[in-house]
Amino acid sequence: MTDKLEAKPNLELTPDYRPIEIEKEIREFWMEKEIREKLEDREKGCRDVLGYVEGPPTLNGIPHIGHARGRVMKDIRYRWKTMQGYYVPFWAGWDCQGLPVELEVEKLLGVKNKRELVERVGQERFIEECKKVIMRYHREWVEADKRLGIFINQEKAYWTYRDEYIEREWRYLKRAWEQNLLEEGHYVVAYCPGCQTSLSSAEVGYEGSYKEVEDPSVYFKFKRSGSENEFFLIWTTMPFTIITDTMLAVNPDTEYAKVKVGSEIWIMARRRVEPVMQELGINKYETVETVTGKSLEGSRYDYPLKDIVPQQVELEAKHALVHHVIGEDFVDVNTATGVVHLSPGNGEEDFWAAHKRGVPIFAPFDDEVKFTKEGGLFNGVFARDTDYPVVEELRNRNAFVEVKKIKHEYPTCWRSHDKLVWLARKEYFLRTDKINGKVLEAAEKIQYFFAEPKNRFIAFLKEGKPWCISRERIWGTPLPIWTCVNCGEKKAIGSKAELLKNALEEIPENFELHKPWVDRLTFRCSQCGGIMKREDYVLDTWHNSGASPYARFTDEEFEKFVPTDFLTEGIDQTRGWANSLLLEYVILTGKPEGPYRAFLFQGLTQDARGRKMSKSLGNVVETNKLLEKNSADLCRFYMMRKCSPIDFMNFDMQELNRRSYQVLSTLYHLSRFFLQNAEFDGFSPSRTPLSLENLELPDKWLLSRLQSAVSECTDKLGNCEFNAAVAILEDFVIETLSRLYVPMIRKELWTDDPETRRRRMDIYAVLHYGLKTITLLFNPVTPYLSEALYQKVYKKLDPSLQESVNFERWPEPDNKLVDKNVEEEFDVLFKTVSLVYAARQQAKLKRRWPLRTVVVVAPGKVTASLKKVEAVFLELSNVKTANYELETTQLKESENWISAVEGDLTVVVSGQRDEKLMGEGIMRDLARRVQALRKELGYLPTDVLDGVHIAELNVESSALVSPYLGEMAELVRARKVNLHEKTEEIPDADWHEIELDGKEIFVNIH
Ligand SMILES: [Zn+2]
Ligand SMILES: [Zn+2]
């Protein structure tokens, strides 16, 4: 295969650009020649090391186009930096543990909850199944990377579930434990009843976790103890929390009103009286008195459900403030009634209000968020299922006012979408609130490239809440804390060796750092000699992946590669991986520094209509399926070109093959055009290097433009403006090379006159340098096409080149080739030429019809500049002579003259065509058609035709064109051009019908 690539002719460039074939062939070449491996071996002698740690995809889903976009950005950075001479440990990594994987396996096994899982399936089998699932997805990811041309090292991938990774993650925790940053505590946490585990506050705000849900909206009232008819009016959307109600709170600095409704007096914030009464549909009411919130503090109220929740009576006995009103600034008096009921077992603020007063926390729930015996009547019922029964109980006890249903945005579990419940539980916390100053300082030093995602990230970090890292699950890193069952002493374990050394049990052969194996190991307590058992938690999966900068390396590698140079992930990772990386690194080092110097947050990818891709909408574009029928280079180019990396991108299959194909195909054809001509003339880049003395003005212009393209493209890549970098390349190929430069030199290449061979060689040198440079610049974005052109064009012409385009050095601008004067002259030139085109269009004079004269009316500076490039000007305008004037003269206003104006520049062309010019015009028309036919029939530009025959051209045209047939033969590379009246004159010829100015004529070439 690879031998063929280097020498055999069937690997020449096909007449049309076939990206899928190219990609298959180049992929095999890379594998066969171990190009990626060799690139990695270049660490020795590199310019510097730029650390990298892979943001590990979770192996619980098929890679889709959004993932592909992110991976392409990583690959672009890698290929670019490598070409600049840096070494980057671009090694894969896989996120294997945690809820997403567990839930998928639960579904596969058909179990409903964790208890059933443990009892029916068993933990050992469950863990085996989790491993099977991740391996299945792993194959898909590796396949997608391969198709996309991602040069990531799969062999050096890290796996977050492996012992060697987990024990290094433990080291973080041990260090946090020693610094008193890891604590056990009772706190209110968000808890998912479906997954049966608590979540971190970061997970609560996770992308897409807020959903519109329906809840009861209940107004209820608690009687003020000792009063005759006074009630506190309260509102809630979670009636189940009335079961765990412990206090009421008012805002002490606000005025409260006593409102007479029927025979009762209701107490609520004064400013809320009117809206609340309106909502309740009560027209007859009267404010009889206003009091301050402060004066209500200490009031006692009759908790109405004591008979069915007897534990509430015991709570009253435990603390004097239970079922009393307290003052709290957090009470919002602009919504609801301004009186809130507090359930310290079910609310964060409620919890802290109770905690600081020493009021007991009442949280009678089991792991499924069902009430325990202490919930009285509600024993065994799922909390949210008691909402309406509680309303009924209130109704029976004259504590009910009104119930409606409301739809509102409510946080749900980001994985299972169950409504979250806030619960006071015993958990383990990283006290990241204590190091928030350092975290923020570290975050400020990092480069984010764009302001918006930076602000979002910093704003999130400022919340600085403690991080609840304990999870009541199975498939995760076990929390390495053992507690003495006798005296409560705790011990943190920092490595597998430490664990095995201390364990009292024999270590089984299949032992691994997972539940249930670690749970079976116990220690002797150093304080009392009792038995120490592991705390039955696993870690938040974000802690697991956030440990990667430390856990995935050896100590030596960690020293070398961390802080990493550049990472990039989706914008949703502000709350995810970017956050956990930063927090864990500050804990590990104790310094205000991040584990990455730069972080690019990417916008997410949506479908063509701007909708989120989801299984339910059926609009997910899977990478592997897409790339079965589409080119990876086109996808890469399209995704980078379409929008800025931080924009949300609407991926549109229709767009994919349009402009992107045009650009890559143009580069391909330009390269092929160059190669065929260069080979025909025996051009060799080593024998004819680019020589400044021999260049004509168009060459100088092209090379000068190329230098700006190189430096601008490099700058844009550095700023992660991939779309702008790609736009520069696109513009250079389509505009500078294809539309402007090649038309200026094309005619010079048509001839094979030995006298002009020297000039042709110089043009080849320019094209070689220009096209090769642009091919290198394309390499990070379209690695397949660049490699193919490198092998089939440049290495073919110069076998001494590198083995792969990836081993080439990244182009640097050459100041010797920058010529701003020439660029300015050409700017004037192109502006003038486009005015000539505009004038031609007005007079319906086709561009290929030669004209006698053009008059340019412009200031002296402009004409001076134009005169310098006059030959090119006449060539592009297709005009025989040019005159220059400072002012428009009378003559030019007669009807045969047509002008076009822009600013102080006017061009005037004569609309009159003489016979000579008409004959030449027809000849050019015919030549153009013959060129197209040559191409269509597969002739190389360098092939010389034996004969061109044209039949059924009318008499008048025949007469006009006859004098130009010799010139035409030269233009179309034919020995002779013949005219025939009828096609029958050559009976067996293969005639091709073409249209010329509305009439049919016939052409034969051979
Ligand atoms: Zn859940
Ligand atoms: Zn002990």
Side-chain angles (χ1 to χ4, degrees):
M1 183 73 221
T2 45
D3 287 346
K4 275 194 265 169
L5 241 170
E6 280 160 9
K8 296 270 173 65
N10 67 335
L11 284 158
E12 277 185 3
L13 298 166
T14 53
D16 53 339
Y17 169 47
R18 296 180 201 157
I20 296 181
E21 274 174 38
I22 288 176
E23 287 163 23
K24 186 168 173 287
E25 182 187 313
I26 295 300
R27 219 170 359 250
E28 281 165 20
F29 166 73
W30 284 342
M31 272 170 57
E32 186 97 3
K33 293 287 177 181
E34 299 183 322
I35 298 301
R36 197 206 58 70
E37 290 78 355
K38 287 175 186 163
L39 193 57
E40 173 128 19
D41 284 344
R42 290 155 64 100
E43 184 178 354
K44 276 175 236 98
C46 72
R47 188 162 153 190
D48 202 351
V49 169
L50 299 177
Y52 176 81
V53 63
E54 167 73 343
T58 307
L59 293 178
N60 80 318
I62 303 281
H64 61 67
I65 195 66
H67 300 123
R69 186 180 171 213
R71 294 185 87 68
V72 167
M73 290 180 203
K74 294 175 181 179
D75 192 58
I76 285 178
R77 180 86 180 189
Y78 173 69
R79 288 180 190 262
W80 171 50
K81 283 293 167 192
T82 308
M83 285 175 85
Q84 282 190 330
Y86 294 97
Y87 173 78
V88 183
F90 192 40
W91 303 342
W94 306 109
D95 192 8
C96 309
Q97 302 184 134
L99 264 185
V101 180
E102 285 200 40
L103 294 185
E104 164 129 10
V105 175
E106 277 188 12
K107 221 195 278 171
L108 276 173
L109 297 173
V111 294
K112 282 193 293 296
N113 57 38
K114 199 172 76 190
R115 199 175 55 205
E116 196 186 333
L117 184 73
V118 173
E119 285 167 8
R120 214 188 76 198
V121 178
Q123 300 190 43
E124 283 97 334
R125 158 118 195 270
F126 181 62
I127 281 184
E128 280 317 301
E129 294 296 330
C130 288
K131 287 180 190 166
K132 271 190 217 158
V133 161
I134 60 172
M135 289 319 290
R136 205 174 62 226
Y137 287 117
H138 177 248
R139 284 191 289 276
E140 291 276 346
W141 280 84
V142 171
E143 174 69 19
D145 277 354
K146 197 172 132 194
R147 285 178 186 271
L148 277 169
I150 307 293
F151 254 20
I152 200 162
N153 185 337
Q154 302 284 0
E155 271 121 62
K156 293 209 78 162
Y158 69 92
W159 300 75
T160 59
Y161 79 93
R162 295 213 171 137
D163 281 4
E164 62 266 26
Y165 184 97
I166 286 177
E167 65 170 343
R168 287 180 75 86
E169 186 183 3
W170 279 7
R171 270 209 236 174
Y172 269 101
L173 289 167
K174 185 163 185 178
R175 179 148 171 92
W177 181 258
E178 288 162 357
Q179 298 177 87
N180 294 321
L181 291 173
L182 176 61
E183 286 178 3
E184 177 195 19
H186 283 81
Y187 291 103
V188 169
V189 292
Y191 189 87
C192 172
C195 306
Q196 291 176 28
T197 183
S198 41
L199 302 177
S200 67
S201 54
E203 285 170 304
V204 174
Y206 213 67
E207 206 74 41
S209 59
Y210 276 77
K211 294 260 178 247
E212 194 182 67
V213 301
E214 194 178 78
D215 273 319
S217 156
V218 183
Y219 282 92
F220 62 101
K221 57 193 181 187
F222 284 167
K223 185 152 182 281
R224 187 171 174 176
S225 306
S227 77
E228 207 168 297
N229 60 350
E230 286 185 10
F231 291 84
F232 292 100
L233 186 67
I234 311 145
W235 176 80
T236 184
T237 55
M238 292 185 285
F240 80 92
T241 60
I242 296 171
I243 298 169
T244 54
D245 170 83
T246 315
M247 290 180 287
L248 291 182
V250 294
N251 192 315
D253 303 325
T254 302
E255 266 193 313
Y256 282 77
K258 293 189 176 182
V259 185
K260 190 166 187 303
V261 180
S263 60
E264 294 179 351
I265 303 287
W266 292 356
I267 301 168
M268 71 184 89
R270 199 172 79 127
R271 71 180 71 163
R272 295 300 302 161
V273 174
E274 215 174 303
V276 168
M277 288 303 152
Q278 205 170 1
E279 204 188 319
L280 292 173
I282 297 171
N283 301 321
K284 277 182 72 180
Y285 63 92
E286 191 191 344
T287 301
V288 292
E289 192 189 346
T290 57
V291 295
T292 63
K294 189 132 193 65
S295 71
L296 295 169
E297 280 181 43
S299 310
R300 186 190 150 93
Y301 60 93
D302 296 343
Y303 176 76
L305 305 182
K306 276 189 222 168
D307 56 329
I308 51 174
V309 189
Q311 187 67 22
Q312 286 279 11
V313 182
E314 286 182 33
L315 286 174
E316 284 185 5
K318 272 191 193 157
H319 198 281
L321 275 179
V322 172
H323 302 145
H324 284 70
V325 177
I326 59 168
E328 277 290 351
D329 293 334
F330 67 71
V331 175
D332 182 0
V333 289
N334 296 312
T335 60
T337 67
V339 181
V340 298
H341 94 96
L342 301 181
S343 297
N346 293 106
E348 213 177 332
E349 285 170 325
D350 317 35
F351 176 90
W352 290 112
H355 186 78
K356 69 184 179 196
R357 292 174 172 86
V359 173
I361 310 297
F362 184 40
F365 302 101
D366 68 9
D367 287 351
E368 292 171 50
V369 201
K370 288 177 180 165
F371 279 100
T372 59
K373 259 192 276 171
E374 293 187 328
L377 182 68
F378 303 101
N379 181 15
V381 187
F382 173 54
R384 298 282 345 217
D385 290 342
T386 67
D387 280 340
Y388 286 99
V390 164
V391 170
E392 283 315 302
E393 296 298 340
L394 293 173
R395 200 193 293 274
N396 296 339
R397 289 166 174 77
N398 188 32
F400 170 79
V401 177
E402 192 196 61
V403 62
K404 281 184 187 164
K405 285 181 177 168
I406 59 159
K407 284 189 173 161
H408 61 162
E409 294 280 310
Y410 186 86
T412 63
C413 171
W414 63 282
R415 286 305 315 171
S416 65
H417 290 299
D418 288 286
K419 276 195 233 176
L420 297 180
V421 182
W422 269 257
L423 287 181
R425 292 180 66 90
K426 190 190 98 170
E427 300 285 355
Y428 275 79
F429 287 80
L430 277 178
R431 291 298 304 277
T432 41
D433 51 325
K434 288 193 195 166
I435 53 163
N436 198 234
K438 278 184 194 169
V439 169
L440 287 171
E441 197 184 329
E444 287 291 348
K445 292 180 194 162
I446 293 158
Q447 186 191 1
Y448 302 92
F449 306 99
F450 299 92
E452 196 274 324
K454 174 184 179 178
N455 297 340
R456 181 166 162 176
F457 187 44
I458 303 268
F460 169 69
L461 291 173
K462 276 189 181 152
E463 288 177 19
K465 291 189 181 172
W467 179 7
C468 171
I469 56 160
S470 49
R471 295 289 180 276
E472 295 85 344
R473 298 293 318 184
I474 297 161
W475 178 234
T477 299
L479 180 77
I481 304 283
W482 271 254
T483 305
C484 173
V485 289
N486 187 34
C487 74
E489 173 72 10
K490 288 181 191 294
K491 182 178 172 66
I493 297 294
S495 72
K496 189 172 177 177
E498 188 185 349
L499 173 65
L500 302 186
K501 193 182 75 201
N502 284 291
L504 300 172
E505 292 76 11
E506 286 250 332
I507 310 300
E509 234 169 63
N510 63 345
F511 179 83
E512 60 178 83
L513 293 182
H514 277 115
K515 280 169 75 55
W517 296 279
V518 279
D519 296 337
R520 293 175 186 149
L521 300 189
T522 61
F523 314 141
R524 185 74 61 202
C525 173
S526 62
Q527 299 300 308
C528 74
I531 294 293
M532 300 189 96
K533 285 190 171 166
R534 198 182 73 84
E535 292 281 315
D536 190 12
Y537 295 99
V538 297
L539 293 175
D540 180 359
T541 177
W542 297 106
H543 190 281
N544 190 212
S545 56
S548 55
Y550 181 71
R552 76 97 62 235
F553 293 123
T554 62
D555 284 343
E556 193 188 323
E557 288 166 340
F558 175 71
E559 281 303 309
K560 199 160 64 175
F561 299 140
V562 186
T564 58
D565 172 59
F566 169 84
L567 303 180
T568 176
E569 295 296 329
I571 184 74
D572 49 350
Q573 298 300 325
T574 45
R575 286 173 165 272
W577 195 58
N579 171 45
S580 58
L581 282 182
L582 184 58
L583 296 178
E584 288 177 52
Y585 192 72
V586 172
I587 289 171
L588 184 77
T589 62
K591 289 188 214 150
E593 272 163 27
Y596 39 86
R597 291 194 198 97
F599 205 112
L600 170 69
F601 290 105
Q602 314 143 12
L604 304 181
T605 303
Q606 304 165 316
D607 74 4
R609 287 158 61 190
R611 295 173 307 175
K612 200 178 167 178
M613 290 193 185
S614 74
K615 271 188 200 158
S616 56
L617 284 173
N619 60 353
V620 180
V621 180
E622 290 178 13
T623 309
N624 286 326
K625 279 195 186 147
L626 177 80
L627 295 181
E628 269 169 25
K629 293 201 182 89
N630 288 278
S631 140
D633 274 345
L634 280 178
C635 282
R636 292 173 67 120
F637 184 90
Y638 168 69
M639 290 192 290
M640 293 306 111
R641 177 72 181 91
K642 166 126 179 165
C643 59
S644 158
I646 61 159
D647 288 341
F648 277 51
M649 181 180 124
N650 298 347
F651 185 85
D652 189 344
M653 286 292 292
Q654 303 297 315
E655 287 173 354
L656 179 63
N657 289 309
R658 285 184 202 153
R659 178 71 175 175
S660 308
Y661 183 86
Q662 190 200 340
V663 176
L664 300 193
S665 161
T666 304
L667 175 62
Y668 179 90
H669 285 293
L670 286 170
S671 309
R672 187 167 174 267
F673 164 79
F674 157 70
L675 180 69
Q676 285 174 342
N677 283 283
E679 281 191 316
F680 179 82
D681 274 324
F683 167 78
S684 149
S686 49
R687 281 200 308 272
T688 315
L690 193 63
S691 124
L692 270 175
E693 302 92 79
N694 298 337
L695 298 181
E696 301 283 344
L697 285 170
D699 313 332
K700 287 185 177 161
W701 169 78
L702 179 86
L703 296 176
S704 185
R705 295 277 302 122
L706 179 64
Q707 305 319 310
S708 343
V710 170
S711 66
E712 284 167 25
C713 177
T714 308
D715 286 351
K716 298 294 177 193
L717 282 179
N719 295 331
C720 289
E721 295 171 66
F722 303 128
N723 54 325
V726 173
I728 289 161
L729 302 182
E730 173 178 320
D731 185 70
F732 192 82
V733 168
I734 299 287
E735 288 298 311
T736 308
L737 268 171
S738 174
R739 199 177 71 83
L740 299 173
Y741 180 70
V742 169
M744 290 192 268
I745 51 93
R746 184 184 279 140
K747 257 177 79 180
E748 295 183 273
L749 299 186
W750 274 356
T751 139
D752 47 10
D753 185 347
E755 273 183 30
T756 53
R757 188 169 177 274
R758 177 69 238 168
R759 170 63 190 145
R760 291 201 299 282
M761 288 299 161
D762 290 331
I763 292 175
Y764 298 144
V766 171
L767 278 174
H768 177 267
Y769 171 77
L771 281 164
K772 186 178 165 214
T773 303
I774 208 80
T775 300
L776 298 183
L777 295 179
F778 263 88
N779 185 46
V781 185
T782 57
Y784 291 109
L785 178 58
S786 288
E787 184 76 276
L789 296 177
Y790 187 77
Q791 300 297 335
K792 297 175 187 203
V793 178
Y794 307 104
K795 200 161 161 64
K796 194 172 180 195
L797 290 173
D798 180 1
S800 73
L801 284 187
Q802 303 272 7
E803 189 179 14
S804 161
V805 68
N806 294 288
F807 303 159
E808 282 279 341
R809 282 313 277 263
W810 183 252
E812 280 176 26
D814 181 347
N815 287 330
K816 289 196 302 297
L817 296 176
V818 175
D819 191 332
K820 287 295 164 196
N821 291 333
V822 170
E823 286 198 45
E824 274 166 35
E825 282 157 20
F826 272 73
D827 284 345
V828 171
L829 166 69
F830 295 134
K831 200 168 130 189
T832 316
V833 169
S834 69
L835 281 180
V836 174
Y837 291 164
R840 276 174 171 275
Q841 203 168 15
Q842 278 179 58
K844 297 199 165 56
L845 299 168
K846 296 186 177 170
R847 283 187 205 178
R848 57 184 188 278
W849 292 346
L851 300 179
R852 180 76 56 208
T853 306
V854 59
V855 181
V856 178
V857 186
K861 214 180 111 206
V862 176
T863 52
S865 143
L866 210 47
K867 277 177 189 164
K868 286 193 194 156
V869 289
E870 190 175 67
V872 189
F873 173 46
L874 295 178
E875 170 69 27
L876 290 179
S877 310
N878 197 12
V879 175
K880 298 293 170 197
T881 55
N883 297 326
Y884 305 92
E885 290 175 7
L886 286 170
E887 280 169 48
T888 319
T889 54
Q890 203 63 33
L891 164 75
K892 313 301 173 322
E893 273 153 27
S894 68
E895 65 180 294
N896 274 329
W897 293 91
I898 299 101
S899 61
V901 189
E902 195 193 318
D904 56 6
L905 179 62
T906 304
V907 304
V908 189
V909 296
S910 163
Q912 200 147 37
R913 300 169 63 205
D914 61 26
E915 284 196 355
K916 264 178 90 177
L917 291 180
M918 282 166 80
E920 194 183 331
I922 293 167
M923 182 274 284
R924 279 177 186 256
D925 261 0
L926 289 170
R928 199 171 56 89
R929 304 307 165 94
V930 171
Q931 287 292 355
L933 191 60
R934 279 181 63 116
K935 215 172 172 182
E936 195 185 311
L937 297 181
Y939 287 93
L940 298 179
T942 47
D943 290 338
V944 177
L945 300 173
D946 269 346
V948 169
H949 303 273
I950 294 160
E952 303 196 7
L953 195 64
N954 64 37
V955 182
E956 192 195 346
S957 301
S958 295
L960 289 170
V961 80
S962 287
Y964 296 95
L965 294 182
E967 193 179 323
M968 177 168 165
E970 228 174 85
L971 274 180
V972 301
R973 280 205 166 159
R975 296 212 159 78
K976 193 165 189 311
V977 179
N978 311 284
L979 295 181
H980 308 271
E981 260 180 66
K982 296 277 174 222
T983 50
E984 289 79 34
E985 287 176 26
I986 320 179
D988 295 328
D990 193 4
W991 289 103
H992 297 266
E993 193 180 305
I994 61 167
E995 192 224 275
L996 190 78
D997 292 332
K999 272 171 267 159
E1000 257 129 46
I1001 61 161
F1002 297 86
V1003 179
N1004 162 266
I1005 64 174
H1006 56 92

